[in-house]
Amino acid sequence: MTVDDRTAVILDTTAAAQELIAGLISEPWGQVSPSVYETGRLVTLTPWLTGHVQRIEFLLASQRPDGGWGAPQIGYALVPTLSATEGILAALRRHGPDPRLRSAADRGLRLLFRWLNGGAELTFPDMPAVELISPYLIALINEHLDSMPGEWQEGERLKPSADMDGAVLTLIRERLVAGADLPEKLLHALEIVGDAARGLRTIRTEPTGTIGASPAATAAWLGDREPSDPSNPARWHLETVVARHGGPVPCGLPITVFERAWVLSGLIRAGIPVSVPPELVLSLTTQLGPLGASAAAGLPADADTTSGALYALALLGAPHPPDLLWAYETETHFCTWPGEQGLSVSTNAHVLEAFGEYSSLRPDSAARYTATIAKVSAWLCDRQLADGSWQDRWHVSPYYATASSALALDRHGGPESAEAVRSALRWLLATQRADGSWGLWEGTAEETAYALQVLLLTRPASSPAYEEAVARGHASLLRSADRTDQPALWHDKDLYLPTAIVRGTVLAALHLAQRPIVGSGR
């Protein structure tokens, strides 16, 4: 490959990044992969909605040979398998005998009985509302089995484990029936309250027509009867969402602020010379309220999205003081939202970037944030695992958490964080796969891009091993960058793939990997 050829590759990458930015405007709700969980809920909740047959076909086509749905690990597969199996059972009861549906339901049930009734050791990932969704779906499936005598073994029912006893779910339903308001963050999983959600007067649709930025929650509020008014905002929202993938639906939509912040900051941090329309900058600044920004209308404000927006604005040359993030500060770290059960490494890494980047651009006010930067940096270093990696509650892969943490610490953590960054680099070099990729379950373009970004942005001392790892990773990424079957690795009620964000991550890594070749330096 000549230098001119290499330059052409860079120009193509830049053009692709500019095209990606244009897509942020043309698809303002965001670009997200279909979800088995949410699609299964719509099969049950809104059979009248456009694309019902296509949703059933999606469930049938995505069933694994072992009868399950979703990722290979049981903890990640349980919720989508419960939802798809229940949706197919609901379709069987509604539409009558169908050999394909009966076979899919039988295989799904066999696997669920083996997992839940056969003593399998279940480890649940820290995903939103999993402890509420599981008993909700188990109860629905058992109700189907009670209503279909002779179809499956008499008296055999799914048995929830001790941590899915449904007591909290029952309490939530009772309080809702008694007129209590549902906590805002639970609107995203409104479907768990069952019939009590239908037309609930204490809930109003957002300007986009959604309830809780979730097709399932919106469908639960609408109910199984088609609205008489075709301009009903919730119906209009669902019709718009199902048109995206021809029937199947994603876990969360819209994800406007989240998507724009992550895409723009990733591209700019990598040095891709893109032009960002003013309306995208304004779409981030106007969302910064007293508690910051939410991923989109229908979701509460959170520290992660707020930090991402603040960091992107700083890189765009429109810095906004990060003081509003102090509303999320705890004694030891920053929570994603007040009352959070659990903690997030990536949220704190993004908080560090927000405070650190603003301080770099506004040195006259940097002293105001020195203590916060030191506190978050130390906390991140303390959360690093012995092997040099980090793990997080918002993503399957340690490569996402490690990239988030190592990049933030390298830029803003000071000399005290240097060893943590070096340890992360050693872990990356040690875990590269034989084909040059990186990945938890298999090598993926997304995870390879995270690894390359850390290697190329943290400026490690050059060595033959380092140069070889970058070259092999770059070659692997070139082979897989345009694959359309990228896996879903991000946590929501189901695993999902934010396609524009991942595309931006890959383009950023490709640009970084190609820069040294044409002499731009690290």
Side-chain angles (χ1 to χ4, degrees), residues 119-132:
E121 185 175 345
L122 297 177
T123 301
F124 296 103
D126 187 10
M127 297 179 73
V130 63
E131 76 284 2
L132 302 175

Side-chain angles (χ1 to χ4, degrees), residues 237-311:
H237 174 83
L238 287 179
E239 293 285 3
T240 303
V241 173
V242 301
R244 294 291 185 92
H245 299 287
V249 293
C251 267
L253 208 72
I255 60 164
T256 308
V257 178
F258 166 55
E259 179 183 82
R260 291 178 175 186
W262 262 245
V263 168
L264 293 176
S265 61
L267 297 177
I268 295 170
R269 179 173 60 188
I272 302 180
V274 292
S275 174
V276 179
E279 65 187 275
L280 288 182
V281 181
L282 290 173
S283 73
L284 298 179
T285 58
T286 57
Q287 295 303 312
L288 293 172
L291 291 177
S294 62
L299 296 173
D302 67 85
D304 198 31
T305 304
T306 301
S307 298
L310 290 170
Y311 180 56

Side-chain angles (χ1 to χ4, degrees), residues 219-236:
W221 187 77
L222 272 178
D224 59 2
R225 294 184 181 179
E226 182 176 358
S228 57
D229 182 3
S231 64
N232 179 292
R235 175 178 183 158
W236 178 85

Side-chain angles (χ1 to χ4, degrees), residues 3 6 19 38 61 90 114 143 154 189 205 271 276 287-288 297 325 340 362 379 393 446 454 516:
V3 171
R6 293 167 183 166
E19 182 181 353
E38 298 273 332
R114 188 159 69 246
E143 180 185 327
E154 195 70 30
T205 59
V276 179
Q287 295 303 312
L288 293 172
L325 283 170
E340 178 183 22
R362 296 287 188 268
W379 185 86
R393 67 177 309 190
E446 180 183 355
V454 176

Side-chain angles (χ1 to χ4, degrees), residues 163-180:
D163 51 359
M164 318 177 176
D165 62 4
V168 175
L169 182 56
T170 299
L171 179 62
I172 291 172
R173 287 173 173 167
E174 289 174 350
R175 293 191 62 186
L176 200 59
V177 171

